């Protein structure tokens, strides 16, 4: 089965940066649209960003201009570069893989991002 493992979360001060990584194994990476989602306490899980194999990206309005999603197809890895972090970005961040031909979905275990002074 497809496996996703996130890394890179942690504690950072407002205005700081973090880079999340998601390594995907047991898959043909190019047939998946990759995404990052997050869930803050008391809130629904929300889309942060997506990236297709062909390079198209989409972002939530709340992170546009601050976050960048990218993928290295040769390494089967997707990244989320997070700059100018705000306390409102505090959440558990989840990596998602959506298979193109049948939209089967796979999720990572999540990584905690905490933005605090």
């Amino acid at each position: 089965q497809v496996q996703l493992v996130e890394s890179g979360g942690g504690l950072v001060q407002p205005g700081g940066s973090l880079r999340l990584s998601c390594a995907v194994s047991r898959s043909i990476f190019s047939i998946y649209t990759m995404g990052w989602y997050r869930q803050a306490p008391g809130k629904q899980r929300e889309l942060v960003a997506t990236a297709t194999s062909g390079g198209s990206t989409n972002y939530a309005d709340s992170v546009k201009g601050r976050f960048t999603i990218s993928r290295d197809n040769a390494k089967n890895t997707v990244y989320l570069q997070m700059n100018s972090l705000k306390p409102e970005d505090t959440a558990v961040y989840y990596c998602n893989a959506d298979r193109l031909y049948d939209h089967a979905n796979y999720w990572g275990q999540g990584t905690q991002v905490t933005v605090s002074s």
Side-chain angles (χ1 to χ4, degrees):
Q1 190 177 28
V2 176
Q3 297 179 358
L4 291 73
V5 180
E6 302 103 328
S7 62
L11 174 65
V12 65
Q13 294 184 339
S17 298
L18 285 173
R19 189 193 193 207
L20 306 183
S21 298
C22 174
V24 183
S25 63
R26 298 180 175 273
S27 70
I28 303 173
F29 192 59
S30 62
I31 66 173
Y32 293 87
T33 295
M34 301 301 301
W36 288 96
Y37 293 73
R38 68 186 182 186
Q39 187 167 19
K43 299 185 68 176
Q44 297 290 321
R45 187 173 298 186
E46 65 175 350
L47 174 68
V48 176
T50 61
T52 69
S53 181
S56 296
T57 59
N58 291 99
Y59 298 91
D61 288 342
S62 59
V63 306
K64 286 180 180 177
R66 300 188 298 119
F67 291 11
T68 303
I69 187 171
S70 61
R71 59 192 289 167
D72 187 334
N73 291 331
K75 295 182 178 180
N76 284 22
T77 302
V78 63
Y79 306 94
L80 186 68
Q81 179 66 47
M82 304 184 294
N83 299 326
S84 302
L85 282 162
K86 305 175 181 179
E88 307 93 90
D89 297 317
T90 296
V92 177
Y93 284 70
Y94 297 90
C95 183
N96 170 264
D98 180 82
R99 193 157 63 195
L100 295 177
Y101 64 86
D102 66 353
H103 294 288
N105 266 250
Y106 301 90
W107 294 89
Q109 81 287 350
T111 185
Q112 177 70 47
V113 172
T114 302
V115 185
S116 179
S117 298

